Amino acid sequence: MCGTCEQAKETAAASNGQNQEKRAKIAANPYGPNPGDYLSNVSNFQVIESTLREGEQFANAFFTTEKKIEIAKALDDFGVDYIELTSPVASEQSRADCEAICKLGLKAKILTHIRCHMDDARVAVETGVDGVDVVIGTSQYLRQYSHGKDMNYIAKSAIEVIEFVKSKGIEIRFSSEDSFRSDIVDLLNIYRTVDKIGVNRVGIADTVGGANPRQVYDLVRTLRSVVHCDIETHFHNDTGCAIANAYTALEAGARLIDVSVLGIGERNGITPLGGLMARMIAADRDYVLSKYKLHKLRDLENLVAEAVQVNIPFNNPITGFCAFTHKAGIHAKAILANPSTYEILNPSDFGLSRYIHFANRLTGWNAIKSRVDQLNLHLTDDQVKDVTAKIKKLGDVRQLSIDDVDSIIRDYHAEVSTPALVPKQDDAESVEDLQPAAKKQKVEEN
Amino acid sequence: MCGTCEQAKETAAASNGQNQEKRAKIAANPYGPNPGDYLSNVSNFQVIESTLREGEQFANAFFTTEKKIEIAKALDDFGVDYIELTSPVASEQSRADCEAICKLGLKAKILTHIRCHMDDARVAVETGVDGVDVVIGTSQYLRQYSHGKDMNYIAKSAIEVIEFVKSKGIEIRFSSEDSFRSDIVDLLNIYRTVDKIGVNRVGIADTVGGANPRQVYDLVRTLRSVVHCDIETHFHNDTGCAIANAYTALEAGARLIDVSVLGIGERNGITPLGGLMARMIAADRDYVLSKYKLHKLRDLENLVAEAVQVNIPFNNPITGFCAFTHKAGIHAKAILANPSTYEILNPSDFGLSRYIHFANRLTGWNAIKSRVDQLNLHLTDDQVKDVTAKIKKLGDVRQLSIDDVDSIIRDYHAEVSTPALVPKQDDAESVEDLQPAAKKQKVEEN
C-alpha cells in the first residue's frame, strides 16, 4: 500500500468517529440518505413548483387568472419554496397574471421563466417577481434547430441578462436546456462563467426526458465541483425516470427540484410534486413533514386535475385509488400484524387510510379473520379457514363485493353457532349472544 | 503510486484499445449503455411479464379464464420472454387456469410463483409450467410478522424446494422478499447457497417500493460478485422509482426485470412494461426493436386497462394521450425543424404520431406557419407573425379549439389577399387561386 492509500485510510479513520453517531441513526432507515454522500441535499432540498409555467405547457392546460391565483395560493399553503410562472412575454394576459400573483404576498418566492434575451429580461424584472429563471438550449440539436447560436453568443447573452437582472436586486438562475445532450466542456465552461458573475442558481435540464439516474449523478457531481452556487434540476418523464433522477440529483449535491402538480407539462410532463414527496418522505420523514403540508396533497391534486380535465392516474403515488390497498393473502396477513411490513409510506401522513382487500380469491384466512372481528362475530381459527375456503371458491367464479363476503361469513356464523336451529341472517347477532363467546385465538400461520 | 495502483492502470490501458470502437459507437447516444459498466445487461435484458400474477393482486383485477388466455396470447405476441402466473395453490381455478395456459404452446416460457414450501412446490410442478419462481420474506419485518422463521429454516426450505423442482427438469428461481430491508450478510449467504445447488436465477425484490437507484446499483453489483446465475429484479412503485431502479439494476448486472402491463399490482404496482420499453429503447433501440413488437403496446395496454376497469393514465409513458404533443412555441418551432430536438422517443416506433399543439396562447409563429401551410394557404412571415398575435390574444381570453385557430387564419388570409373585396370564409381558397402564390420563406427565428 502506497502513501496515497495510507493517507486515504487515515482520513477515513479520522472521520469514522464523528460519523458513527450519524451512521447509527441512518442505519435504522435503509431508504435514508446515503451516509457516504457528504454533498447530499436529500435532507436539505427545496421545491420549485412549476404548475403555472411547465404545467401551462400541458396539452389540456388553460388557466384563467382566477384559477392561477387559486392554484398559487394552494401551492403556497402546501409549503412549496418557489412558484414559477409563465414568461410575461408569452402573451399580454401572462404578464398581467404574473403581476397579479406577485401582489398576493405569498410566503413562496415568485419566479418567472424567460428566454436568455434582454427583450424578455426587461419585461420580467418589471413584473414584481422575486427572481428570474433564464434558459437557453445548449445541445447541438437546439443550437442548430432552435436558436442557431454558438456558445460564445450564449455566454455573451447570459452575462448581459444576468448582470441586468442582478442590478435589479432579484434572484437569477441560469439553466442550459437539453443539458444531457450538450457537450460537457461547453456546459462546465458556461456554468463556471455565470457562477463567477454571481448567479444564484445554475440549472440542469433533461428537456427530452432521456437521462438515467447514474448519468444524472455523474453530471451533477461534476458540476458540484465546478460552481459554488446552488444547483437546480428539471427532469422530464418520457422514459419514466423523473422522480428517481430528481432524487439522485439531490444525492449528488443539487439542492432544488422543479416539479408540477401531477407532473403536468410538455408531452407527459416532469417530476410530479406528489411523487417527489413520496420519494423524499421515505428518505427523510422529519424534514419533509417539517416543511410541507402533506395532508393537503390530495386536494391540491384534485384542484389541478379538475382545472386541466384529467383523472388522477389509477397508479398515482400516494393518491392513486389503491396506493394503500393490500390484496394478496400473504400481504394482508402481515399488514394486519404490522403495517410497516408492506408499507414504506404511512397513509396517515397524507390524511389517508389503508384498506385490506379481502373480497377476492387471493384472500387469506388472516384477512377474513380480521373481517369477522370487524363484524363483531366470533369464529375459531379452523372455522375462519373453513369460511375462507368458501369465499375463495366463490371468488374463483366471479368478482366479489364486500357484501358478498359479509353474507357468506354471516351465513356460516349462523350455521355453526346454532346447528339445530338455523336462524335468519338478521338474527345472527342476537342468537350469538346466547352462545358462550368463542375463544379469541392468536393469529398464527401454518 | 503503489503496485496495486500501477496494476490497475495497466489493466485499464490494455482494455482501452478493444473498448475504443465500442465507446465511439456508444458516444453517439448519450442515453446509451454506460461503457464503464462491463457487467451491464442494458443491451441483453429479458422481461418476466407478471400481469397474470402480480397484476392479479391489483385491487380491481378479476380475470376470467378466457381473459387470462387472451392476455397471455397478447403478451406472447408482443414478445415477452416469460409469463408469470398466480400460484396454483391460491385457488382451485388458479390451478386450472395455470394448466390451461401451459397447454397453449406459447413461445414465452410459463412460470408460476409460489411460497418457499414443499406443499406449494408439489402442486406447481404438476401444472406443466416451464419454471417455478419461489419467494420468501427475508427482512426482519417479514420474518417477524409474516412467516416467523429464521434464516436457517429459510435456507433449509429453499434447498429442499429447489432440489425438488430441479429434479423435475424445470427452471427454478429463488427470490428474497423485501430484499432492501434484509440483512446484507443474510442475503448474500442464502443467495450463495442456492446458487451453489444450481438455481437458475436469484431474485431481488423491492417489495415495499422504497429503494432508490444507487442503492439498487450497490446491492445488485455486490450480488453479481457472489453468484454465477442470472439475477432477476422486482420493483414496486410506491416512491416512483420502479422504472429507474429496473434500468439501474441492469446496469449493475441484473438480467431479468419483472413487469406488468400498466404496472398493475399490489398497491400502486410495479415497473410497467410500457415504461420499461420507453426507458430501454432510449438506451438501445436496435435491441428493443429486434425483440418486442412495440406497435402492439397500445392494444395490449387497452386490453388490460379494460379488463381491470381503469383508464390509461394521462401521463403514461408512450401511450398517454399527450406523450408526443408539443405545445410551447419554442418547442413546436424546433420539433418542426427536427423532431429529435424535443423527442427522445420516436412515436412511429410505437405506431403512433406526434402532434403540434398550436391552438393556445403559448403558441409561436413557427407552429402557426406550419398550420397555414397545412391549410394550403400562403402568408408571408410577417403576416404569419401578425395572425399569430391575434391567435395569442384570443388564447388569453379562452381555451381555443383548432377550428377557432383555423377560422382566424382563414379570415386573416382572406383579408390580406383581397383587401378591397372581403370574401366569405368559404370562398377563401378560390379567391386565393386568383392571387400570385406567396413566396415561401425559410423558417427563421429572430
Side-chain angles (χ1 to χ4, degrees):
Chain A
M1 201 176 262
C2 66
T4 314
C5 302
E6 287 289 0
Q7 199 181 345
K9 202 179 163 190
E10 277 162 28
T11 312
S15 68
N16 258 355
Q18 68 201 57
N19 281 336
Q20 222 154 24
E21 195 185 349
K22 198 174 172 192
R23 251 201 300 259
K25 193 179 168 192
I26 288 168
N29 175 13
Y31 301 112
N34 185 334
D37 296 338
Y38 56 94
L39 293 171
S40 171
N41 278 316
V42 164
S43 299
N44 188 35
F45 72 95
Q46 293 192 312
V47 161
I48 295 183
E49 222 295 336
S50 191
T51 300
L52 297 176
R53 194 283 290 176
E54 178 73 51
E56 209 177 359
Q57 293 173 228
F58 173 58
N60 274 15
F62 173 80
F63 298 127
T64 61
T65 306
E66 295 65 37
K67 192 53 76 180
K68 284 185 186 176
I69 288 173
E70 188 182 356
I71 292 171
K73 285 181 174 172
L75 292 172
D76 187 53
D77 185 38
F78 182 81
V80 304
D81 304 273
Y82 290 87
I83 294 173
E84 188 181 61
L85 306 177
T86 295
S87 170
V89 304
S91 74
E92 184 49 32
Q93 193 61 46
S94 299
R95 192 188 52 72
D97 292 345
C98 184
E99 290 173 357
I101 291 170
C102 288
K103 289 194 184 109
L104 294 175
L106 302 178
K107 292 186 297 292
K109 288 186 182 172
I110 308 299
L111 305 170
T112 190
H113 180 265
I114 62 167
R115 291 173 299 186
C116 188
H117 200 290
M118 283 301 289
D119 292 348
D120 291 15
R122 282 190 202 96
V123 179
V125 299
E126 296 302 322
T127 56
V129 291
D130 300 297
V132 175
D133 284 348
V134 168
V135 67
I136 191 161
T138 46
S139 70
Q140 194 195 330
Y141 285 102
L142 293 182
R143 281 161 52 196
Q144 182 173 353
Y145 295 105
S146 180
H147 52 70
K149 313 299 186 191
D150 65 16
M151 290 307 294
N152 282 338
Y153 178 92
I154 290 173
K156 199 166 148 286
S157 313
I159 292 168
E160 187 183 11
V161 169
I162 291 164
E163 293 192 329
F164 171 73
V165 174
K166 271 174 63 77
S167 76
K168 302 290 175 180
I170 59 179
E171 285 189 18
I172 173 83
R173 177 213 72 184
F174 173 85
S175 181
S176 63
E177 200 185 355
D178 203 5
S179 315
F180 292 88
R181 293 193 300 183
S182 300
D183 182 88
I184 178 80
V185 184
D186 285 348
L187 271 190
L188 298 179
N189 263 322
I190 184 89
Y191 285 132
R192 168 167 281 171
T193 301
V194 299
D195 183 47
K196 276 188 180 152
I197 62 169
V199 82
N200 296 85
R201 302 184 298 281
V202 290
I204 288 179
D206 179 24
T207 308
V208 295
N212 66 63
R214 292 175 67 235
Q215 192 175 24
V216 169
Y217 189 87
D218 287 349
L219 182 56
V220 174
R221 182 67 188 78
T222 302
L223 180 57
R224 186 63 286 170
S225 71
V226 169
V227 298
H228 294 89
C229 63
D230 276 340
I231 298 172
E232 172 183 341
T233 53
H234 182 90
F235 296 106
H236 276 264
N237 207 19
D238 301 72
T239 60
C241 293
I243 297 171
N245 284 341
Y247 184 80
T248 311
L250 294 175
E251 288 189 309
R255 176 136 194 254
L256 300 105
I257 305 293
D258 292 3
V259 299
S260 68
V261 176
L262 297 169
I264 60 169
E266 284 281 349
R267 306 186 309 282
N268 72 340
I270 62 167
T271 308
L273 173 64
L276 185 69
M277 289 295 125
R279 177 65 263 168
M280 300 317 297
I281 200 172
D284 193 334
R285 184 166 175 271
D286 292 347
Y287 181 76
V288 172
L289 291 181
S290 75
K291 286 195 68 176
Y292 305 106
K293 292 187 188 163
L294 298 185
H295 57 286
K296 301 212 167 178
L297 179 65
R298 183 162 59 172
D299 288 347
L300 183 56
E301 289 187 345
N302 286 340
L303 169 67
V304 172
E306 200 175 320
V308 300
Q309 300 162 45
V310 298
N311 295 313
I312 305 291
F314 78 87
N315 53 3
N316 209 44
I318 300 170
T319 56
F321 80 96
C322 53
F324 298 103
T325 296
H326 305 273
K327 184 167 168 186
I330 198 170
H331 285 228
K333 174 195 168 193
I335 279 284
L336 288 165
N338 179 345
S340 289
T341 47
Y342 284 100
E343 275 176 4
I344 189 65
L345 307 175
N346 183 345
S348 68
D349 282 344
F350 309 94
L352 304 171
S353 53
R354 76 179 53 87
Y355 176 65
I356 310 291
H357 192 310
F358 54 86
N360 66 81
R361 66 176 154 208
L362 303 181
T363 198
W365 73 273
N366 289 280
I368 298 301
K369 184 176 176 60
S370 164
R371 185 61 183 172
V372 169
D373 289 346
Q374 280 173 3
L375 295 175
N376 203 23
L377 303 177
H378 302 289
L379 295 173
T380 66
D381 284 358
D382 281 345
Q383 288 170 335
V384 172
K385 286 176 186 172
D386 198 25
V387 75
T388 300
K390 289 177 196 293
I391 291 164
K392 288 169 81 80
K393 199 164 182 177
L394 187 62
D396 256 351
V397 180
R398 63 174 172 84
Q399 196 147 19
L400 300 179
S401 69
I402 294 173
D403 283 350
D404 291 329
V405 173
D406 287 355
S407 288
I408 297 171
I409 293 173
R410 286 184 190 281
D411 285 353
Y412 182 89
H413 180 266
E415 211 175 309
V416 297
S417 302
T418 56
L421 170 85
V422 180
K424 283 183 297 180
Q425 192 181 314
D426 290 346
D427 296 333
E429 209 155 287
S430 55
V431 170
E432 181 201 40
D433 291 338
L434 305 172
Q435 307 288 321
K439 195 181 154 199
K440 210 164 180 194
Q441 298 197 9
K442 192 171 151 281
V443 177
E444 208 173 30
E445 183 77 319
N446 51 17
Chain B
M1 201 176 262
C2 65
T4 314
C5 304
E6 288 288 1
Q7 198 179 345
K9 203 178 162 191
E10 277 164 27
T11 311
S15 67
N16 259 354
Q18 67 201 59
N19 281 336
Q20 221 153 25
E21 194 185 349
K22 198 175 172 191
R23 251 201 300 258
K25 193 178 167 191
I26 287 168
N29 174 14
Y31 301 111
N34 185 333
D37 296 338
Y38 56 93
L39 293 171
S40 171
N41 278 316
V42 164
S43 298
N44 187 34
F45 72 95
Q46 294 192 313
V47 160
I48 295 183
E49 221 295 335
S50 192
T51 300
L52 298 176
R53 195 283 291 176
E54 179 72 51
E56 209 178 359
Q57 293 174 226
F58 173 57
N60 273 16
F62 173 80
F63 299 126
T64 61
T65 306
E66 294 67 36
K67 192 54 75 179
K68 284 186 185 174
I69 288 173
E70 189 182 357
I71 292 171
K73 285 180 173 171
L75 291 171
D76 187 53
D77 186 37
F78 182 82
V80 304
D81 305 273
Y82 289 88
I83 294 174
E84 187 181 64
L85 306 177
T86 295
S87 169
V89 303
S91 73
E92 183 50 31
Q93 193 61 46
S94 300
R95 191 187 54 71
D97 292 344
C98 183
E99 289 174 357
I101 291 171
C102 288
K103 289 195 184 109
L104 293 176
L106 303 179
K107 292 187 296 294
K109 288 187 184 173
I110 309 299
L111 304 171
T112 190
H113 181 264
I114 62 168
R115 292 172 297 186
C116 188
H117 200 291
M118 283 300 289
D119 291 349
D120 291 14
R122 282 191 202 97
V123 179
V125 299
E126 297 301 324
T127 56
V129 292
D130 300 297
V132 175
D133 285 348
V134 168
V135 68
I136 190 162
T138 46
S139 70
Q140 194 195 330
Y141 284 102
L142 293 182
R143 280 159 55 196
Q144 182 173 356
Y145 296 105
S146 180
H147 52 68
K149 313 300 187 191
D150 64 17
M151 291 305 295
N152 281 339
Y153 178 92
I154 291 173
K156 199 167 149 284
S157 311
I159 293 168
E160 186 182 11
V161 169
I162 292 164
E163 294 193 328
F164 171 73
V165 174
K166 273 174 64 75
S167 76
K168 301 291 176 179
I170 60 180
E171 284 188 19
I172 173 83
R173 178 213 72 184
F174 173 85
S175 181
S176 64
E177 200 185 355
D178 203 6
S179 315
F180 292 87
R181 295 193 297 184
S182 301
D183 181 88
I184 179 79
V185 184
D186 284 349
L187 272 190
L188 298 178
N189 262 323
I190 185 91
Y191 286 133
R192 169 167 279 171
T193 301
V194 298
D195 182 49
K196 277 189 179 153
I197 62 169
V199 82
N200 296 84
R201 302 184 298 281
V202 290
I204 287 178
D206 179 24
T207 308
V208 295
N212 66 63
R214 293 175 66 236
Q215 192 176 24
V216 168
Y217 189 87
D218 287 349
L219 182 56
V220 175
R221 181 68 188 78
T222 302
L223 179 57
R224 187 63 287 168
S225 72
V226 170
V227 298
H228 294 87
C229 63
D230 276 340
I231 298 172
E232 172 183 341
T233 54
H234 181 90
F235 296 106
H236 276 264
N237 207 19
D238 300 72
T239 61
C241 294
I243 297 170
N245 284 342
Y247 184 79
T248 311
L250 293 174
E251 289 189 308
R255 176 137 194 253
L256 301 105
I257 305 293
D258 291 4
V259 300
S260 67
V261 176
L262 297 169
I264 60 168
E266 284 282 350
R267 306 187 307 281
N268 73 340
I270 63 167
T271 308
L273 173 65
L276 184 71
M277 290 295 126
R279 177 66 263 169
M280 301 316 298
I281 199 172
D284 193 334
R285 183 164 176 272
D286 292 347
Y287 181 76
V288 172
L289 290 181
S290 75
K291 285 195 69 176
Y292 304 106
K293 292 186 188 164
L294 297 186
H295 58 285
K296 301 212 168 179
L297 178 65
R298 183 163 58 172
D299 289 347
L300 183 56
E301 289 188 346
N302 286 340
L303 170 66
V304 172
E306 199 175 321
V308 300
Q309 301 162 43
V310 297
N311 294 313
I312 305 291
F314 77 89
N315 53 3
N316 209 44
I318 300 168
T319 56
F321 81 97
C322 53
F324 298 103
T325 297
H326 305 274
K327 183 169 170 186
I330 198 170
H331 285 228
K333 173 195 169 193
I335 279 284
L336 287 165
N338 179 345
S340 289
T341 48
Y342 285 99
E343 275 177 3
I344 190 65
L345 307 175
N346 184 346
S348 69
D349 282 344
F350 308 95
L352 304 171
S353 53
R354 76 178 54 86
Y355 175 66
I356 310 289
H357 192 311
F358 54 86
N360 65 81
R361 66 175 154 208
L362 303 182
T363 198
W365 74 273
N366 289 279
I368 298 301
K369 184 174 175 61
S370 164
R371 185 61 182 172
V372 169
D373 289 347
Q374 280 174 0
L375 296 174
N376 205 23
L377 302 178
H378 302 288
L379 295 174
T380 66
D381 284 358
D382 282 344
Q383 289 171 335
V384 172
K385 286 175 186 171
D386 199 24
V387 74
T388 301
K390 290 179 195 290
I391 291 163
K392 288 168 82 78
K393 200 164 182 177
L394 187 61
D396 255 351
V397 180
R398 63 174 173 83
Q399 196 148 19
L400 300 178
S401 70
I402 295 174
D403 283 351
D404 290 328
V405 173
D406 288 356
S407 287
I408 296 171
I409 293 174
R410 286 183 190 283
D411 283 354
Y412 182 90
H413 180 266
E415 209 175 310
V416 297
S417 302
T418 56
L421 171 83
V422 180
K424 282 183 298 181
Q425 191 179 314
D426 290 345
D427 297 332
E429 209 153 288
S430 56
V431 171
E432 179 200 42
D433 290 338
L434 305 174
Q435 307 288 321
K439 194 181 156 199
K440 209 165 181 193
Q441 297 197 9
K442 192 172 151 280
V443 177
E444 209 172 29
E445 183 76 320
N446 51 13

